[in-house]
Amino acid sequence: MTERQPLLQVKEFFGGYVDGIDIIHDVALDLYRDEILTIIGPNGAGKSTLLKAIVGALPYERGTRSFQGEDVSGWSTPRMIAAGVGYVPQVDNIFTSMSITENLEMGGYMRKEGLRERIAEVLAMFPDLEGRPRERASRLSGGQRQMLAMARALMLDPIMLCLDEPTAALSPAARGELLGRIYRIHMSGVGILMVEQNATEALVWSDRGVVMVDGEKALEGTGTDMLTSPEVGRAFLGQAEGEGEGFTIEEGSHS
């Protein structure tokens, strides 16, 4: 039987924004194409820093990353995107002065053919956007802007999508709708790596979860494990003492 291979593999990751000052410490992470993996943890834990380093948007001090079995440790963000990695940062992820269609054209700038066909396919995934292709992005709601940002990232047919706080500042209803869209994207064959502050809602949709604390991977387990763990519940999900029960969380690596 062929061993299941990770789509993304990160090993011994150290790095930050300033040389010699590490925000992330000895992080190891695997993502498989058939799963949604959500990274949670307190503010300042290094979640977004890790995601930026993974997609090549931030240099890292040392460590390795591989994508589809190939060492991509020195690759830039554009090269990662060309290889099949979509990335949606938390802010500045759309062009507000442009229309929905123009934003999608920008997302598909590396396509050699089939741009119009792909725009139609992507819009069909987001009914809130499909009927208003000429609408200026500045007129969209927060949830619709996040959908447009994801739609842009899908223009190059990625097989992995990295999302940084996609539900930040959204209403509960908008969060639920957006997470449902993310799940549908995943079911179309895209591996999802997501950083989220709205941990409970995100873990409901996730196959696995990782807790980061002080730049380290502190805990790891299935989404169900995370949701039913008293330890995770009290620390990160807002549960009172006595809520949550049951599963053992696998210890992560500490430096």
Side-chain angles (χ1 to χ4, degrees), residues 78-179:
R79 191 172 178 185
M80 292 291 287
I81 290 172
V85 177
Y87 173 49
V88 180
Q90 183 179 355
V91 297
D92 299 326
N93 52 25
I94 61 170
F95 299 100
T96 55
S97 63
M98 294 182 177
S99 70
I100 289 172
T101 296
E102 288 169 339
N103 268 274
L104 297 183
E105 289 172 344
M106 292 295 291
Y109 74 99
M110 285 194 284
R111 291 191 74 93
K112 292 182 172 58
E113 58 184 22
L115 179 63
R116 294 299 158 195
E117 292 81 0
R118 184 56 180 166
I119 288 175
E121 290 171 357
V122 168
L123 283 176
M125 301 179 192
F126 300 93
D128 282 4
L129 306 178
E130 187 176 20
R132 48 205 295 199
R134 295 196 178 104
E135 186 87 54
R136 192 178 296 272
S138 61
R139 297 176 61 86
L140 300 178
S141 68
Q144 290 166 343
R145 290 186 185 201
Q146 288 297 89
M147 290 183 186
L148 178 56
M150 287 193 295
R152 283 188 63 229
L154 292 172
M155 282 298 298
L156 296 178
D157 306 285
I159 60 173
M160 171 177 146
L161 191 59
C162 297
L163 306 172
D164 192 358
E165 304 276 9
T167 71
L170 299 185
S171 68
R175 290 199 300 264
E177 183 175 359
L178 189 69
L179 288 167

Side-chain angles (χ1 to χ4, degrees), residues 16-129:
Y17 296 89
V18 179
D19 288 345
I21 303 177
D22 292 334
I23 294 175
I24 50 177
H25 309 273
D26 198 19
V27 175
L29 197 70
D30 291 341
L31 172 73
Y32 295 87
R33 188 168 180 174
D34 61 354
E35 69 178 0
I36 297 175
L37 174 61
T38 297
I39 304 172
I40 66 171
N43 289 331
K47 305 182 299 295
S48 293
T49 301
L50 174 61
L51 197 67
K52 289 175 183 176
I54 285 173
V55 301
L58 180 71
Y60 51 93
E61 292 291 326
R62 59 187 185 275
T64 61
R65 57 180 168 151
S66 62
F67 180 64
Q68 298 194 93
E70 182 176 1
D71 186 349
V72 296
S73 297
W75 288 19
S76 65
T77 303
R79 191 172 178 185
M80 292 291 287
I81 290 172
V85 177
Y87 173 49
V88 180
Q90 183 179 355
V91 297
D92 299 326
N93 52 25
I94 61 170
F95 299 100
T96 55
S97 63
M98 294 182 177
S99 70
I100 289 172
T101 296
E102 288 169 339
N103 268 274
L104 297 183
E105 289 172 344
M106 292 295 291
Y109 74 99
M110 285 194 284
R111 291 191 74 93
K112 292 182 172 58
E113 58 184 22
L115 179 63
R116 294 299 158 195
E117 292 81 0
R118 184 56 180 166
I119 288 175
E121 290 171 357
V122 168
L123 283 176
M125 301 179 192
F126 300 93
D128 282 4
L129 306 178

